[in-house]
Amino acid sequence: MADCPSNSSPIIRDVIAARASRRAFLSGAASLGALAAGSGFVGSFFAEESFAASATSSLGFSELKRVYDKDMAVAPGYTAEVVARWGDPIAADVADFSGEVPSAAEQLVRFGYNCDYIAFMPLPKGSATADHGLLCVNNEYISPNVIFDGMTEDDAGKMMTQEQVDFGMAAMGHSIVEVKIENGRWAMVKDSPFNRRLTVETKMQLSGPVAGHDLVKTKEDPQGLTVKGTNYNCGGGVTPWGTVLTCEEGASDTFGGSTAGSPIAAVLDRYGFDGSDLYGRARFHDRFDMDKEPNEPNRFDWVVEIDPYDPQSTPIKRTALGRMSHEASTVVHNKDGRIVVYMGDDDYFEYTYRFVTEAAFDPAQPETAKDILDKGVLSVARFDTDGTLHWLPLVHGQGPLTAENGFASQADVLLKTRLAADAVGATPMDRPEDFETNPVTGRVYAVMTKNKKREQDKLNPANTRPENLWGHIVELIPPGGRGKDADHTAEVYQWDLFVLAGNPKDEATKASFHPETSENGWFVCPDNISFDPQGRLWVATDGANDFGLPDGIYGIDTEGPARGLPKLLFTCPAGAEATGPCFTPDGKTLFVSVQHPAEDAETLDKATTLWPDFNGKLPRPSVVAIRRQDGAAVGV
Ligand code: FEO
Ligand code: CA
Ligand code: CA
């Protein structure tokens, strides 16, 4: 594939024309370490070089053949073993999964549904232990059509009984379970004191500028400081002080009623609160009915900090990080000590965000971490045609973010984050999902899953394809140098397009991968990502089923001659997406969440797979551990 898709759109022509000035910029900017060292990055959208003509991937495995199947599959020489299934008991006196849907009360002591983001937190805390730790796993949502008899996805919200609704509330949220390698395979420690479920009933604290604001006060919480629970937890991140950030995405689906009674109805409309009540909560729980509790929606769609090492700890909603359909919250400890969090807002035409703390974190003084995420500057990205990226601060009183424009305070800016980003002129993206930083190069990778709604006249430099059904990956390039030398607090970065997903043989897709990409290697709908310790990117996909393909996990070099050359490692069973890829510190285990198996079936009796048990009647979303049979690191 050529270095640039041969798209005739004016946007692309502008980008091509801008290359000359960008190259002039780069040649005069030798101190931009990562860029000056750019010979390792062939296949830049902005550079003259195309992808290398021939390449040897740094990934040594034999690629998996891609087959849509009832079972998962992994490349030759690897094993994929189920570690934690929905419904598995996580307390000593709880029986094994019976094959029936647990009661709501029972579900509270069982692993949650639709596993998503995974953090592996070593035991003991602070160590680099790779065979013993805590799995901290989001449970994003439930799939009623393959849990309950006789319900479709569309009618479940109206049909579910209170017991079923309450089961759903108990099955979503977050699961923390101790795991270790025993007798050569990963297993849960059923009676661990660390095991814990966090749900939409778990007490949580609101912190940062929005805490105590009138718009987060409710009948149950007149102070606006204490929230019941977390909701629709999707992506996440890990802090250097050993906490987990869980991202609330899409609370709108869990509310019924109308926004009309809200003082910020237009804001709620912008956040998609259409009263859809997909899980039936509003019929039984007043706080999910916006007509009865108009401020309850404002208490969700934040980043929540959890201390998994203290089962008694109260999770904290860090409002300074903004309100959005939170995806990634990827944390960098910058060279000056400040903490940087990159975040995506996963919706059509939403934005790319960054938060930089005011204070520095010093690992030698752990107390410097306390509430460090409550003060700092939230910014949003504008991607320019010349390959520069500007971080635009969302700070009350700066630029258009003033009272006369409807932003009365910083809390107001945060409650209306999307509107603030509109006002400063951020670049609308193709559904920003996961972001991660390459530990070797310091470049940040931002995944755009897809955007079927993108029209020709809405193209922009970083979103170049109309009706983008396939997704793409954007590189954010901080100045300062490679790895830890990169300055993640700078106002101006460079950016590039890494790959444009799709079938490279189908010219209509304008896909762009390395030219040696195999028939099994190209992918669509990149979603969650992770880096291994050697700096290779691993991409989990969500949406391949629409193309008759299984979702799966692909490894891909980001520099050197094989830059942009993906290889298929793992495929999910029918109807499932791959989410939450997470390596142990030694790179020898890759944990993956297999989310919503069989969800493509209209109703449970038509389930397309009963993975992973293949008995009874229920498919079970599960966390899988992928390892090499010879015990070496994944992908060596
Ligand atoms: Fe929960 Fe953006 O996927
Ligand atoms: Ca996802
Ligand atoms: Ca990730």
Side-chain angles (χ1 to χ4, degrees):
M1 183 60 60
D3 56 335
C4 171
S6 55
N7 190 316
S8 61
S9 81
I11 288 296
I12 297 297
R13 285 201 301 273
D14 290 350
V15 171
I16 293 168
R19 286 176 174 173
S21 60
R22 175 182 162 92
R23 281 198 299 277
F25 172 83
L26 292 180
S27 62
S31 63
L32 286 176
L35 288 165
S39 59
F41 292 98
V42 289
S44 162
F45 192 71
F46 286 99
E48 278 186 329
E49 308 96 315
S50 50
F51 286 120
S54 68
T56 304
S57 170
S58 75
L59 298 157
F61 62 90
S62 300
E63 197 167 39
L64 176 63
K65 188 168 162 31
R66 189 156 52 191
V67 178
Y68 193 80
D69 189 53
K70 291 179 188 312
D71 207 349
M72 62 179 171
V74 69
Y78 284 78
T79 59
E81 295 174 332
V82 173
V83 179
R85 295 163 294 190
W86 159 55
D88 280 345
I90 62 165
D93 53 353
V94 181
D96 286 345
F97 185 72
S98 69
E100 299 291 331
V101 179
S103 69
E106 276 257 316
Q107 179 58 55
L108 289 172
V109 283
R110 295 179 181 275
F111 196 75
Y113 203 86
N114 272 348
C115 38
D116 202 303
Y117 173 79
I118 302 169
F120 176 82
M121 306 297 283
L123 283 170
K125 181 180 177 179
S127 71
T129 307
D131 61 358
H132 186 198
L134 304 176
L135 281 188
C136 304
V137 184
N138 283 341
N139 300 112
E140 186 181 17
Y141 68 108
I142 58 165
S143 307
N145 58 314
V146 286
I147 298 174
F148 306 121
D149 288 315
M151 270 181 222
T152 67
E153 202 178 337
D154 292 339
D155 61 19
K158 297 181 190 70
M159 286 181 68
M160 288 163 72
T161 64
Q162 178 159 9
E163 173 61 22
Q164 290 170 331
V165 167
D166 290 353
F167 158 82
M169 289 167 60
M172 289 168 63
H174 191 86
S175 300
I176 299 172
V177 291
E178 183 178 338
V179 291
K180 60 177 154 184
I181 295 182
E182 267 183 344
N183 304 319
R185 59 177 294 160
W186 284 100
M188 276 204 285
V189 180
K190 184 180 166 187
D191 59 353
S192 167
F194 293 108
N195 290 355
R196 184 180 184 193
R197 288 294 322 286
L198 297 100
T199 73
V200 76
E201 300 283 354
T202 306
K203 180 184 166 188
M204 304 196 173
Q205 186 188 331
L206 265 179
S207 190
V210 174
H213 191 280
D214 281 350
L215 284 169
V216 291
K217 292 176 180 169
T218 61
K219 291 185 200 79
E220 270 189 76
D221 175 28
Q223 304 294 313
L225 297 173
T226 308
V227 178
K228 261 166 85 173
T230 188
N231 208 9
Y232 240 99
N233 304 75
C234 193
V238 171
T239 68
W241 51 92
T243 60
V244 173
L245 303 179
T246 179
C247 293
E248 299 182 332
E249 179 199 21
S252 57
D253 287 349
T254 62
F255 281 82
S258 156
T259 59
S262 167
I264 53 167
V267 175
L268 293 186
D269 293 345
R270 175 79 161 81
Y271 279 82
F273 285 87
D274 58 2
S276 52
D277 195 23
L278 294 188
Y279 308 105
R281 294 179 184 176
R283 290 187 289 121
F284 304 106
H285 300 279
D286 285 355
R287 70 181 172 116
F288 291 106
D289 181 340
M290 294 183 286
D291 292 318
K292 294 174 179 159
E293 196 58 273
N295 284 345
E296 187 73 3
N298 303 331
R299 293 144 65 84
F300 294 94
D301 292 340
W302 303 105
V303 168
V304 187
E305 184 173 12
I306 302 169
D307 180 357
Y309 293 106
D310 178 3
Q312 307 307 320
S313 59
T314 301
I316 302 173
K317 299 201 177 194
R318 299 293 183 186
T319 62
L321 276 63
R323 176 192 198 180
M324 63 194 79
S325 285
H326 274 286
E327 273 296 337
S329 50
T330 301
V331 182
V332 176
H333 191 194
N334 200 56
K335 57 186 176 182
D336 66 355
R338 285 184 287 170
I339 297 297
V340 180
V341 188
Y342 292 97
M343 297 171 285
D345 184 354
D346 181 14
D347 213 335
Y348 301 101
F349 305 106
E350 291 301 341
Y351 302 120
T352 299
Y353 293 88
R354 183 188 72 174
F355 180 78
V356 179
T357 59
E358 185 178 294
F361 167 64
D362 178 0
Q365 299 177 57
E367 66 276 12
T368 55
K370 185 171 164 46
D371 296 331
I372 192 172
L373 296 176
D374 284 346
K375 279 191 186 163
V377 174
L378 179 68
S379 307
V380 66
R382 190 188 72 215
F383 295 85
D384 287 345
T385 307
D386 65 356
T388 57
L389 181 169
H390 291 260
W391 290 108
L392 312 171
L394 301 179
V395 175
H396 177 250
Q398 290 188 18
L401 305 180
T402 58
E404 58 205 24
N405 288 327
F407 300 98
S409 63
Q410 185 61 21
D412 214 26
V413 168
L414 294 165
L415 282 158
K416 305 171 182 169
T417 300
R418 287 182 173 177
L419 285 77
D422 294 344
V424 300
T427 301
M429 308 296 284
D430 286 345
R431 293 189 50 194
E433 179 91 17
D434 203 5
F435 298 4
E436 292 286 348
T437 305
N438 186 325
V440 175
T441 68
R443 292 185 173 200
V444 180
Y445 290 74
V447 179
M448 306 302 137
T449 301
K450 57 184 170 185
N451 184 354
K452 64 181 182 218
K453 300 182 182 176
R454 173 85 57 189
E455 292 170 351
Q456 185 78 26
D457 63 357
K458 288 190 187 155
L459 299 182
N460 63 48
N463 300 273
T464 58
R465 293 183 291 178
E467 202 182 347
N468 179 6
L469 302 174
W470 318 279
H472 60 284
I473 302 179
V474 183
E475 277 180 325
L476 319 184
I477 311 169
R482 283 172 69 84
K484 294 196 181 310
D485 288 333
D487 181 5
H488 292 270
T489 68
E491 280 181 41
V492 182
Y493 285 23
Q494 303 295 307
W495 68 273
D496 209 338
L497 291 172
F498 175 50
V499 295
L500 305 180
N503 183 352
K505 286 193 177 151
D506 178 356
E507 286 196 1
T509 69
K510 299 180 172 58
S512 177
F513 287 106
H514 189 284
E516 291 183 8
T517 300
S518 79
E519 188 51 36
N520 294 299
W522 58 268
F523 55 76
V524 291
C525 305
D527 200 54
N528 291 180
I529 54 174
S530 189
F531 278 96
D532 66 25
Q534 296 178 63
R536 285 91 55 96
L537 181 65
W538 296 81
V539 177
T541 68
D542 174 17
N545 292 184
D546 293 342
F547 298 82
L549 299 170
D551 278 313
I553 301 281
Y554 299 78
I556 181 167
D557 285 315
T558 63
E559 61 176 337
R563 170 179 159 89
L565 175 56
K567 290 180 74 172
L568 176 59
L569 177 74
F570 172 82
T571 51
C572 288
E577 71 166 279
T579 64
C582 169
F583 284 91
T584 49
D586 61 1
K588 292 183 176 178
T589 298
L590 172 58
F591 292 107
V592 176
S593 285
V594 173
Q595 195 188 75
H596 59 71
E599 195 190 52
D600 52 338
E602 187 182 10
T603 49
L604 178 58
D605 58 323
K606 297 180 182 135
T608 47
T609 182
L610 292 176
W611 185 88
D613 298 346
F614 296 107
N615 60 34
K617 62 178 184 182
L618 294 167
R620 299 171 71 188
S622 304
V623 174
V624 168
I626 297 171
R627 292 191 291 161
R628 265 177 67 117
Q629 286 167 349
D630 66 3
V634 171
V636 292

